[in-house]
Amino acid sequence: MSAVLIVEDEKHLAEGLRFNLEAEGYEVETVADGEGALALLLAERRRFDVVVLDVMLPGANGFHVAAELRRAGSFVPVLMLTARGRPEDVLRGFESGADDYLPKPFELAVLLARISGLLRRREWFNREAGAGEASAVNTAAETRRGGAGPTEGGGADTFAFGGKTIDFAALELRTDGRTLRLTLMEAELLRYLVGRAGQAVSRKTLLEEVWGLHEDTDTRAIDNFIVRLRKYIEDEPSRPRHLLTVRGVGYRFVAEAGDREGSG
Ligand code: CA
């Protein structure tokens, strides 16, 4: 049974969500402020499979909570509830480490779909992580359509390039003995781009295919993720050699980065 933590100060909404999620078979806990959420997740180390996190909370807001979780090394999937008509919230949410967002007010069915989307990805990652240790590197990340549903095919789910290895299953990037943790959606975005190496992919396509967002989302949200990913995978993030900007279109991943190593 998957456990969901709802962080929401509007009691009606929190209880309504609890009722509906429990009816769907989830184990649900609610907490009314950010400090309470951090206490549960970090101090008490309670395990949840998804956190539904409202932005507007008394005291520490949702951005702060998400950022604190990531800083503390908690990579629990976070679905952020933002205010409609505030695209800057979406940007800030992603920036602070949220995996997905939903503007309020929302349809219950959409919330349920988003939660199960995050769980599906997580389960799939966990399953892969359990299957076999580091063998073949570079099982060219299989491409996935639609951003949902498990991919079949076992074996090591890693991709190596330029002295770095992305381990999609473990949500890790390994480089020079250093291991970086990736959030679920950072790994998903990398997987999508790596699976289309050499091709230009538009921001809109990324939002639709990786996040499953079809509404009018500010596509700058993607740029935030790209900035983060560049910090992880590029030797010089300001002069990317792998994760390239395609002017007027979006981004392109290239594994072979030419021979500029050490220059400059
Ligand atoms: Ca609120």
Side-chain angles (χ1 to χ4, degrees):
M1 187 190 287
S2 297
V4 179
L5 176 64
I6 297 168
V7 189
E8 169 62 81
D9 57 311
E10 290 164 55
K11 215 172 162 68
H12 273 58
L13 182 54
E15 285 310 312
L17 288 178
R18 176 209 290 281
F19 178 83
N20 283 291
L21 285 169
E22 283 178 350
E24 294 291 319
Y26 293 107
E27 202 174 287
V28 181
E29 184 127 354
T30 64
V31 60
D33 58 39
E35 288 81 1
L38 289 172
L40 274 180
L41 289 159
L42 297 182
E44 294 178 36
R45 301 204 152 275
R46 290 279 306 280
R47 200 193 65 87
F48 292 94
D49 298 292
V50 172
V51 175
V52 177
L53 177 61
D54 189 32
V55 167
M56 303 285 278
L57 295 167
N61 66 19
F63 302 126
H64 178 81
V65 172
E68 283 299 306
L69 288 177
R70 298 322 186 207
R71 203 174 1 251
S74 167
F75 289 82
V76 60
V78 170
L79 172 62
M80 195 168 266
L81 303 179
T82 64
R84 194 177 291 280
R86 283 180 58 89
E88 61 271 30
D89 280 3
V90 177
L91 302 184
R92 250 190 102 186
F94 279 150
E95 221 166 45
S96 60
D99 294 293
D100 200 354
Y101 81 96
L102 192 58
K104 282 169 137 183
F106 49 80
E107 302 277 340
L108 179 66
V110 177
L111 177 85
L112 293 174
R114 290 294 172 72
I115 289 175
S116 75
L118 286 172
L119 286 170
R120 216 167 30 233
R121 291 190 182 101
R122 186 187 157 92
E123 269 159 25
W124 177 73
F125 276 120
N126 289 346
R127 195 160 58 239
E128 291 289 306
E133 283 284 293
S135 46
V137 173
N138 216 339
T139 50
E142 306 129 347
T143 56
R144 283 194 316 119
R145 297 296 304 169
T151 311
E152 54 283 296
D157 188 16
T158 60
F159 184 83
F161 67 100
K164 300 171 184 65
T165 303
I166 310 167
D167 187 331
F168 294 106
L171 300 182
E172 284 175 359
L173 178 80
R174 293 192 282 272
T175 170
D176 298 331
R178 221 156 56 96
T179 299
L180 280 168
R181 287 293 308 267
L182 302 169
T183 69
L184 203 54
M185 296 312 290
E186 286 167 353
E188 282 279 304
L189 180 56
L190 265 177
R191 174 192 292 285
Y192 190 88
L193 288 165
V194 163
R196 283 156 190 76
Q199 299 172 30
V201 184
S202 74
R203 292 175 178 79
K204 189 167 178 292
T205 300
L206 291 173
L207 277 171
E208 288 180 359
E209 298 287 318
V210 180
W211 277 269
L213 296 172
H214 296 276
E215 59 260 50
D216 230 357
T217 308
D218 191 329
T219 52
R220 282 177 304 165
I222 292 301
D223 301 342
N224 276 308
F225 270 85
I226 297 289
V227 166
R228 251 149 67 192
L229 293 181
R230 278 179 176 155
K231 280 188 201 148
Y232 303 155
I233 70 171
E234 301 285 356
D235 295 331
E236 290 179 79
S238 57
R239 295 177 64 205
R241 299 163 71 227
H242 295 288
L243 199 38
L244 310 176
T245 302
V246 183
R247 215 168 282 283
V249 181
Y251 296 99
R252 178 175 58 212
F253 176 85
V254 291
E256 301 290 332
D259 288 316
R260 280 203 296 116
E261 203 91 52
S263 75

